[in-house]
Amino acid sequence: MFIQEIIMVKVRFAPSPTGFLHLGSARTALFNWLYARHTGGKFLLRIEDTDKARSSKKFLDEILEDLKWMGIDWDDEPLHQSQRFEVYREKAEQILAKEKAYKEGEAIIFKVEKGRTIEVNDIIHGKIAVNTNDIKDQVMIKSDGSPTYNFACVVDDAYMEITHILRGDDHISNTPKQILFYEALELTPPKFGHMPLILGQDGAKLSKRHGGVSVEEYKREGFLPEALANYLILLGWFPGEDHEVLSMDEAVKLFDISDMSDVQAKFDIQKLRWLNGEYIMKKTTEKLLPLIKEQLLTAGFDMSGVTDDYISKLVDLYKIRIKTLRELGELADWFFKDDFTMDEEGKRKYLDKEENKDNIRIFVDRLDGLEDFSHENIEKICRDIAEERELKAADIIHPTRLAISGKTKGAGLFEVMELLGKEKVIKRMRGVDK
RNA sequence: GCCCCUGUCGUCUAGCCUGGUCUAGGACACCGCCCUUUCAAGGCGGCGACACGGGUUCAAAUCCCGUCGGGGGCGCCA
């Protein structure tokens, strides 16, 4: 056994509560969490709230909630940097005492020794070498008494006994600076791994245009946490050709940090949508029910008098046809309101023809006398009429679908007729003549 | 400007370390066909890539150099 394998892995996620949880941060958290859970180590949280003006409890609560939503749990209590200002100062004073730093006003600044090469053996990128000539002297404690990011980061990672730092590529240039601090504090640096950033599909920075940047936005849009997490994981680690759709449990089992990609990936909303559709399809209607209800409510539908049983049947009918939870409301709005919009092209094609209206008339008259409004019975009537009039069943089906839903697409006609109910079906079919 | 990371289908990637098994495999998207009551789902098929230029070698997607492209960083922000 190698020594590294018997020391417990400790990783951390260090959000700054100055905004919502960004997709990129969520991915970073996810990989750290995966690594900890895979190795049986610890996943710790550190709140980087040194900027008092910009940090807020509200953001922190949101971030923690989003993490939980994604299925990420953490060990121990989160460490708050705002409560450790004395520690940072003390450590900076130690370095100052060794004459490796100087004061400028109230600030304590670290002297960077020139002409050295700092080598980092990055877990993801391999060797990275930087010359200290390219690094300016580094502020440790600012004039206002607060620590700088790089300094607090080192003090805390050492204090928390972090063994591996997995973070975004944008921190590569921070790493040699931090290593200098580890040296000055006579500490052994942890292992570093820098994962490439996520880009929008046009190669630019991920932004609103690409579908949103915050976890919250995807949640609202009707993405399932397991789909989002699965997709984010795929953006940086390939679990194998047969494992693209994988649960967090499987990911924990299969995850191998040495297989992480060193190439920046573009965020592809299409693939996320596909994955989400896969998860929706496979999820039980029972589990989908509360989520769908919430979406319908937010969409503003009148849900009074609508039973869970009714929604469940709707979900059964539509869950293989939607890519996001929100889409059910768009596809099935006509179940909740009578003033649904009519597809213009479909209307021209199916409802503006007299023979089609005739068929609907005959169909509705027979439905009127139907006692048991089951889809089997409805279908029987429809097919009988088609046979009698020497038509294809489709000639009756399409105009009828349009009459009751305003749409040219959707779940099987007879099933949706049964669910919508005799009264509304008949009213809408008769409405065609007006 | 300087420093760092990076470059296989439109996108995510397998392969690269340990050259030949690669006329480069899979997934999403797209297109076509089948199924069918439309849309999905499902099945089958198609389109489609080693950034470019030099080396090294009997042989390079794989190794080396250069060019070009993409990204990040250079704060008393985090």
Side-chain angles (χ1 to χ4, degrees), chain A residues 390-408:
Chain A
E390 295 182 328
L391 297 165
K392 282 183 291 182
D395 293 332
I396 305 172
I397 288 170
H398 296 315
T400 306
R401 174 181 294 107
L402 211 76
I404 67 164
S405 74
K407 291 182 168 51
T408 57

Side-chain angles (χ1 to χ4, degrees), chain A residues 107-110 136-143 146-151 181:
Chain A
I108 306 178
I109 301 170
F110 181 74
K136 291 186 208 163
D137 284 356
Q138 297 292 307
V139 175
M140 295 184 287
I141 302 294
K142 302 182 218 169
S143 304
S146 66
T148 56
Y149 164 75
N150 278 318
F151 189 64
F181 288 146

Side-chain angles (χ1 to χ4, degrees), chain A residues 11-250:
Chain A
V11 294
R12 45 68 167 182
F13 175 59
S16 179
T18 53
F20 47 72
L21 182 63
H22 188 276
L23 276 187
S25 308
R27 187 181 64 142
T28 303
L30 219 32
F31 279 114
N32 276 287
W33 180 87
L34 273 183
Y35 189 51
R37 295 294 173 255
H38 176 77
T39 55
K42 280 195 172 188
F43 174 72
L44 307 172
L45 241 42
R46 180 170 73 230
I47 314 305
E48 309 216 323
D49 51 358
T50 55
D51 187 334
K52 285 172 189 152
R54 293 200 300 138
S55 299
S56 88
K57 177 84 166 53
K58 181 179 146 281
F59 285 134
L60 176 58
D61 290 345
E62 273 176 26
I63 289 169
L64 297 184
E65 198 184 306
D66 286 344
L67 287 176
K68 281 189 240 168
W69 179 72
M70 296 239 302
I72 298 173
D73 57 348
W74 54 92
D75 303 303
D76 305 347
E77 281 304 302
L79 188 80
H80 289 256
Q81 290 193 322
S82 57
Q83 285 159 18
R84 294 172 44 79
F85 278 23
E86 324 81 70
V87 182
Y88 307 128
R89 170 162 297 277
E90 188 189 312
K91 296 292 177 188
E93 300 279 2
Q94 279 176 24
I95 294 174
L96 187 63
K98 283 189 249 178
E99 295 183 352
K100 291 188 169 189
Y102 53 93
K103 286 191 109 169
E104 202 172 276
E106 292 303 302
I108 306 178
I109 301 170
F110 181 74
K111 241 184 290 183
V112 173
E113 187 189 338
K114 299 296 166 189
R116 285 186 56 199
T117 298
I118 308 291
E119 265 199 8
V120 187
N121 202 347
D122 191 280
I123 300 167
I124 294 168
H125 293 288
K127 274 216 184 347
I128 298 174
V130 179
N131 193 292
T132 53
N133 290 344
D134 295 318
I135 304 173
K136 291 186 208 163
D137 284 356
Q138 297 292 307
V139 175
M140 295 184 287
I141 302 294
K142 302 182 218 169
S143 304
D144 68 357
S146 66
T148 56
Y149 164 75
N150 278 318
F151 189 64
C153 189
V154 167
V155 171
D156 287 340
D157 282 329
Y159 171 73
M160 295 164 83
E161 301 177 305
I162 299 303
T163 58
H164 301 257
I165 294 180
L166 271 181
R167 55 178 21 165
D169 250 358
D170 49 340
H171 287 287
I172 288 184
S173 57
N174 283 327
T175 308
K177 297 171 188 171
Q178 295 186 358
I179 286 176
L180 254 14
F181 288 146
Y182 279 100
E183 286 179 1
L185 259 11
E186 291 173 55
L187 297 163
T188 312
K191 292 203 167 19
F192 295 93
H194 290 92
M195 30 196 263
L197 271 15
I198 310 175
L199 268 33
Q201 61 259 88
D202 54 0
K205 229 184 187 146
L206 197 59
S207 72
K208 284 260 182 219
R209 288 177 297 124
H210 308 108
V213 288
S214 68
V215 168
E216 186 61 34
E217 285 169 275
Y218 288 87
K219 188 177 175 179
R220 271 204 307 273
E221 197 54 41
F223 285 93
L224 259 17
E226 48 270 57
L228 187 60
N230 192 155
Y231 181 65
L232 254 18
I233 287 172
L234 248 29
L235 240 41
W237 172 58
F238 189 64
E241 282 177 3
D242 296 331
H243 298 286
E244 284 206 64
V245 182
L246 86 172
S247 67
M248 293 279 265
D249 285 347
E250 289 171 294

Side-chain angles (χ1 to χ4, degrees), chain A residues 280-342:
Chain A
I280 291 176
M281 241 187 283
K282 280 187 239 160
K283 216 174 179 70
T284 63
T285 298
E286 195 186 353
K287 284 188 178 162
L288 245 18
L289 181 66
L291 304 174
I292 292 284
K293 272 167 78 176
E294 200 188 324
Q295 281 286 337
L296 292 173
L297 239 31
T298 333
F301 290 117
D302 177 13
M303 304 284 284
S304 54
V306 180
T307 64
D308 280 2
D309 184 56
Y310 190 82
I311 310 269
S312 295
K313 283 176 177 158
L314 196 59
V315 170
D316 278 335
L317 251 25
Y318 280 90
K319 70 177 176 185
I320 61 164
R321 293 162 222 270
I322 54 175
K323 296 280 182 263
T324 67
L325 299 175
R326 173 177 284 195
E327 283 173 4
L328 185 119
E330 292 160 10
L331 230 51
D333 58 337
W334 49 280
F335 278 94
F336 304 98
K337 57 184 186 188
D338 294 319
D339 60 336
F340 52 84
T341 43
M342 185 64 67

Side-chain angles (χ1 to χ4, degrees), chain A residues 405-419:
Chain A
S405 74
K407 291 182 168 51
T408 57
K409 56 185 183 181
L413 179 69
F414 309 118
E415 281 90 349
V416 300
M417 286 172 87
E418 177 186 327
L419 185 59

